[in-house]
Amino acid sequence: DSSFLHFHESDCDIGSSSCESVLSLNTEKILSQAKLLAEQKRFPFATDNDNTNEELAIAYVLIGNGLYDEAIRHFSTMLQEEPELVSAIYGRGIAYGKKGLHDMKNAELALFELSRVISLEPDHPEVFEQRAEILSPLGRISEALSDLTKAIQLQPSARLYRHRGTLYFISEDYATAHEDFQRSLELNKNQPIAMLYKGLTFFHRGLLKEAIESFKEALKQKADFIDAYKSLGQAYRELGNFDAATESFQKALLLNQNHVQTLQLKGMMLYHHGSLDEALKNFKRCLQLEPYNEVCQYMKGLSHVAMGQFYEGIKAQTKVMLNDPLPGQKASPEYLKVKYLREYSRYLHAHLDTPLTEYNTDIDLPGNFKDHWAKNLPFLIENYEEQPGLQPHIKDVLFQNFESYKPDVQELICVADHLGSMMQYETPGFLPNKRIHRAMGLATLEVMQAVQRTWANSKVRMNGKTRLMQWRDMFDIAVKWRRIADPDQPVLWLDQMPARSLSRGFNNHINLIRGQVINMRYLEYFEKILHFIKDRILVYHGANNPKGLLEVREALEKVHKVEDLLPIMKFNSKTRDGFTVNTKVPSLKDQGKEYDGFTITITGDKVGNILFSVETQTTEERTQLYHAEIDALYKDLTAKGKILILSAELGEVDAVCNLILSLVYYFYNLMPLSRGSSVIAYSVIMGALMASGKEVSGKIPKGKASIKISKYINSLVDFEAMTAPGSEAFSKIARSWMNLKSISPSYKSLPSVSETFPTLRTMIEVLNTDSSHCLKKTIVVV
């Protein structure tokens, strides 16, 4: 008999959970398990003494049965007699760890015991691994990595490499994590989890095709691997392959229809594809399974509001708001955003039936509200007066059948869908969004009609006034449609922000590489930006370090990727920790004058993690300079447009096209909106060109194509404008793939967009309506 199984009054009170848990176990079963364990010495640090081994085995069996306190007491009794009994110290450390690391006392005692074992037996890899397993949940990742490295040095194994790779992955050191997962798989190729993580290291570095191959390999090893199907769906979603992503998410849900993560990811993909009804079904199912899931609750509220169902939408938003973070707990992104969405939703609801020509969202919304929302700051706004609550007499938006629209409006919708699809970026990271397509297609047609009226000397009604259209009015048409297509994003004019915010400068910031995380949307531009940076470095050293110029030039010849620039920084004390490079935008109005474009920043640390980013800083002074340029171009455009209406000579058309593209070139470089500048500007390009009698028939290209002006044509129009040496160069780049052709006469017979959809309600109705009928119709523009 073990003395441990005979309880004394001091050990526990009869009836307590501690006594009951042990007494409920069959004593003979424990002893027989322990006897077998002891005979086979199947526990760590077994001794040469059979009696001692049996006592140790009993405690290890107790650990196996979840009786950690009893195991600790048993090990402690043994250690009173033999203080350096390594197996007992080790077992007690394991038991403390198993009790739960949420209690720091358990964690500290577990680490203390395992450290004692290492001091007594420093050559056992399993002890280092166990200590790493306790250190890592405590956030002490570097110490855990050190322990796992020591364990690998003592005895490499597939498990140890996988374990260390996982910690590198958590630390966002994806390249090193990839090496460890690869080594693990070389030692044991049949490891679906290691293969999944190998794929994730590719995914986070923007290597989507390699990630997909790894996820598929993981599924070959484990056909029912839900996480691999989920990750495969995410990779296809990032590639913009909606059908393949849907298939992968569906396979995950066939294996487990209650897999919350997959429901959440699939719902979000459907929302960003413009399939709001389908997205809602996934968010509702997610909330049935996890009622407090903030992401699903937020997205449910957003989907309802986007479709004009404000009562259900605001109810869901309020639930997110009630889920306050605990003291010291970081607030979720959804919690930070939800009050802005609720206030904006109330504003939209109050204006559902007000004619769009009679109010201005940028003027109506309070300045500090817009500033905080655009900067994604916590909702801490002094003296903020909430928007009025929902007014019962304003009903939700009802669903409109496509057939309920008149035939000419049906035609208008189908043409808009076609035009919107022409704006789709065929590059990784851009999922086709049919709702955005329709909205921006309608914006294009409304811009065309408004510009034609202006060139014919007609006035427009904007913001409660009837007057001649200005360039901002043209862009405001597109802003209006972009805003309502996705109310989650604050599409706001930066020069309408509070003066204090403008004086500090408002940054539009894009991380191209952060650490090892690559922004795959802009991957195609890295080489072009790299050439520009190398040129600027040579100019800098030519002026500030002429003696070292040859050395710098030779070093730059070996630079083939952004990371290779880090050693170049060391050539000058001022650039040792990093450097910034500014682009310049030449003026057309004042020859020889240049404006600030965007800023490229590169910094690096000792282990090779880098920050590679671009940003534009919108200040009041910079805005005024660009506005003067755009004003002059718009004045010229209006004058030439009026002549074009009368003559339609080929030379005039060409001049008008170049003016439109030049105007938008400065808009892109100014980046005057908090979100959505790219698609808004492109819809203005298409609409204004159509007003001039030219239609864009070429899609924004995928990949690269060599032309004289720019070494590359890539698929992001805003970046083309920002990296072009001037407006003329941008015009040539854009026209090379726009494939302009004469406009179809049938456009003239389309009804007026602004008169057909005069309110927010009518706009939301047309964005909600099903357009599958358009596929069966012959679209007039094709």
Side-chain angles (χ1 to χ4, degrees), residues 385-396:
E385 191 175 327
E386 287 192 351
Q387 293 287 331
L390 297 189
Q391 297 155 55
H393 70 279
I394 302 175
K395 304 302 179 188
D396 273 351

Side-chain angles (χ1 to χ4, degrees), residues 72 97 120 135 189 233 278 376 461 476 566 647:
I72 288 165
L120 294 167
L135 287 164
K189 64 180 181 182
E278 289 301 308
N376 200 25
R461 183 147 182 91
D476 257 331
L566 296 179
S647 69

Side-chain angles (χ1 to χ4, degrees), residues 576-594:
R576 186 172 293 125
D577 299 321
F579 57 83
T580 60
V581 178
N582 297 305
T583 65
K584 294 294 179 184
V585 175
S587 169
L588 278 177
K589 187 169 70 75
D590 301 312
Q591 291 297 319
K593 193 174 178 181
E594 289 183 325

Side-chain angles (χ1 to χ4, degrees), residues 527-541 552-553 555-561 565 568 579 581:
E527 194 168 346
K528 188 173 186 179
I529 294 173
L530 191 59
H531 281 289
F532 174 77
I533 293 170
K534 286 161 78 171
D535 288 342
R536 301 307 300 168
I537 288 172
L538 285 173
V539 170
Y540 174 82
H541 280 277
V552 171
R553 192 185 297 277
L556 283 171
E557 285 172 7
K558 296 171 187 170
V559 171
H560 302 295
K561 53 186 187 294
L565 285 168
I568 310 289
F579 57 83
V581 178

Side-chain angles (χ1 to χ4, degrees), residues 231-412:
S231 299
L232 187 60
Q234 270 294 80
Y236 279 127
R237 182 242 178 276
E238 288 300 322
L239 272 177
N241 189 335
F242 176 77
D243 291 337
T246 301
E247 184 184 348
S248 297
F249 287 140
Q250 209 52 45
K251 284 179 178 175
L253 291 170
L254 281 172
L255 290 165
N256 179 2
Q257 63 178 358
N258 298 334
H259 196 254
V260 170
Q261 271 192 313
T262 302
L263 287 164
Q264 180 181 310
L265 288 169
K266 187 184 175 195
M268 290 182 77
M269 180 186 73
L270 287 162
Y271 178 86
H272 292 293
H273 180 60
S275 306
L276 272 53
D277 261 334
E278 289 301 308
L280 257 177
K281 290 174 189 173
N282 284 269
F283 298 135
K284 286 177 179 177
R285 178 69 184 141
C286 165
L287 289 165
Q288 283 174 353
L289 299 163
E290 266 187 26
Y292 296 102
N293 184 306
E294 279 193 20
V295 175
C296 290
Q297 193 70 261
Y298 179 89
M299 292 304 297
K300 176 176 178 265
L302 174 60
S303 302
H304 277 304
V305 164
M307 291 194 291
Q309 298 161 3
F310 289 92
Y311 290 88
E312 281 299 316
I314 287 175
K315 194 194 300 181
Q317 292 161 18
T318 305
K319 286 181 181 176
V320 178
M321 286 175 62
L322 294 173
N323 196 13
D324 292 316
L326 298 169
Q329 183 184 10
K330 191 177 177 183
S332 69
E334 289 71 34
Y335 182 83
L336 288 173
K337 290 193 299 180
V338 72
K339 190 156 188 184
Y340 296 107
L341 179 62
R342 191 178 75 160
E343 288 300 288
Y344 185 48
S345 300
R346 286 171 165 178
Y347 173 83
L348 293 176
H349 182 260
H351 290 80
L352 265 179
D353 299 307
T354 308
L356 291 153
T357 54
E358 303 307 308
Y359 65 95
N360 184 314
T361 302
D362 282 279
I363 293 171
D364 292 347
L365 292 176
N368 284 337
F369 173 87
K370 293 188 297 178
D371 185 50
H372 280 60
W373 187 21
K375 291 175 180 172
N376 200 25
L377 297 171
F379 198 103
L380 301 169
I381 303 169
E382 287 183 20
N383 304 319
Y384 178 75
E385 191 175 327
E386 287 192 351
Q387 293 287 331
L390 297 189
Q391 297 155 55
H393 70 279
I394 302 175
K395 304 302 179 188
D396 273 351
V397 176
L398 298 175
F399 183 75
Q400 288 280 102
N401 280 318
F402 183 78
E403 291 84 357
S404 68
Y405 288 106
K406 293 177 182 177
D408 60 341
V409 177
Q410 291 181 20
E411 198 68 58
L412 182 72

